[in-house]
Amino acid sequence: MPDIIQINTNTWRFEDDFVRFFLLEGAEGAALIDSGVASDNALELAKTLTDKPVMLINTHGDGDHTSGTAAFAEIHMHEQDYVNCSIGAKFPGVKLAKINDGDIIDLGGRPLKAVHIPGHTRGSLAFLDVNSRILFAGDSVQKGQIFMFGGHRCPEAFEAALDKIIALQSEYDCIYASHGEFCLPKDYAEKVKAAWLEVQAGNLAFEMVNLYGAEVKSYTLDACGFYLD
C-alpha cells in the first residue's frame, strides 16, 4: 500500500516504495500520472480521493511505473513506449490511447500538455500542468540514478530532450520527479544536462554494477547519476 500525501486541494502523490506517482483532479475528470511498482490497486485508491472518472496517463513504460495498468481500459502514453516496453503483451486487455508531443489532455479547467522527451526511454513524456505551473518529468529529471541502458533507451536524444525542458522554464515553477526528492527547482534540468555532458565527455570515473543481470557503468555526480551500457 503506497503512502498517499495530499499536495493541494486537487493533487496527490503516492509514495510507492522507491517510486512515486500522482493523481490530478480537474472539474470534469482526473488522471493518474503513472501507477507505481506495487500498486495494482492504484485505480481503487484514486477513487477514494475523487468522484471524477479517472484516466491513466504514463510518463513512460518501465515496470515501476505501470503496476496498476490492468485496471484500465486504456493507457494514454507515447506509442513508442507502448511497443518497446511491451505494454500490450503485459496488459493484453488495455488499449493504447496515443499521446504525441504537444497534445493537450483537459481534465476540466486543468489542461495537461504533453512534451515528448526521448532519452530515458524512446517514448518518455513530461506533462506540463499548465495552470498550476508544474512539470511532471517522470524519470528524466531527478536526483537519483537515471537508467540509460537497454534497447528501449535513447541516450543519443537525451541532451536535446533536456534542452526542450529547459526551453519551457518560463511555463513552470518547479519539477515533480518520480524518484528521490519530490519537488525540484525549475532549473534542475540544467543540472542534469551538465552532469550528462560530463559523462559524455568520457573523463569521469565509474564503477561496474550488476543490474537485472546486466553489467553496466554507474556514474554518480552531485546532481544525479546514470547507469549506462
Side-chain angles (χ1 to χ4, degrees):
M1 176 76 73
D3 292 327
I4 302 173
I5 300 166
Q6 188 163 15
I7 300 170
N8 56 40
T9 55
N10 58 4
T11 310
W12 296 261
R13 58 186 169 103
F14 296 68
E15 300 291 337
D16 188 17
D17 197 358
F18 60 88
V19 70
R20 176 180 303 113
F21 61 100
F22 300 89
L23 176 67
L24 283 59
E25 183 187 59
E28 298 173 4
L32 277 172
I33 298 182
D34 298 334
S35 62
V37 68
S39 295
D40 57 0
N41 62 340
L43 176 57
E44 179 183 339
L45 294 174
K47 287 182 175 180
T48 69
L49 302 171
T50 178
D51 60 0
K52 307 296 191 303
V54 180
M55 65 188 299
L56 176 63
I57 63 178
N58 263 74
T59 59
H60 62 292
D62 281 345
D64 57 332
H65 294 258
T66 57
S67 67
T69 300
F72 292 84
E74 293 182 322
I75 184 170
H76 296 72
M77 68 188 309
H78 198 280
E79 184 177 23
Q80 289 193 53
D81 269 24
Y82 185 83
V83 173
N84 293 325
C85 298
S86 303
I87 299 300
K90 293 174 184 174
F91 306 102
V94 181
K95 296 181 179 179
L96 170 65
K98 295 181 186 179
I99 299 181
N100 296 310
D101 186 54
D103 284 355
I104 301 291
I105 298 169
D106 194 348
L107 303 177
R110 191 172 191 179
L112 307 177
K113 181 181 178 180
V115 185
H116 185 209
I117 48 169
H120 173 62
T121 65
R122 296 180 183 277
S124 282
L125 294 166
F127 294 99
L128 177 64
D129 191 355
V130 175
N131 296 336
S132 298
R133 296 183 57 84
I134 302 294
L135 186 74
F136 295 83
D139 285 6
S140 299
V141 181
Q142 57 166 297
K143 283 191 173 181
Q145 296 290 116
I146 301 174
F147 283 49
M148 285 291 188
F149 70 93
H152 64 301
R153 313 294 179 191
C154 193
E156 64 274 14
F158 192 47
E159 182 182 348
L162 292 170
D163 284 337
K164 197 171 184 178
I165 293 172
I166 292 165
L168 291 172
Q169 276 185 13
S170 64
E171 299 182 42
Y172 59 85
D173 297 324
C174 65
I175 296 172
Y176 285 179
S178 294
H179 298 277
E181 189 171 318
F182 144 61
C183 184
L184 300 175
K186 66 183 296 180
D187 66 348
Y188 212 81
E190 296 177 23
K191 300 181 188 298
V192 173
K193 178 184 175 182
W196 179 244
L197 292 178
E198 283 193 63
V199 169
Q200 293 299 289
N203 298 321
L204 294 179
F206 59 86
E207 63 175 319
M208 297 302 298
V209 298
N210 187 287
L211 288 177
Y212 306 107
E215 293 293 323
V216 301
K217 300 173 183 176
S218 175
Y219 294 87
T220 303
L221 297 91
D222 289 339
C224 63
F226 300 96
Y227 291 128
L228 286 164
D229 289 318

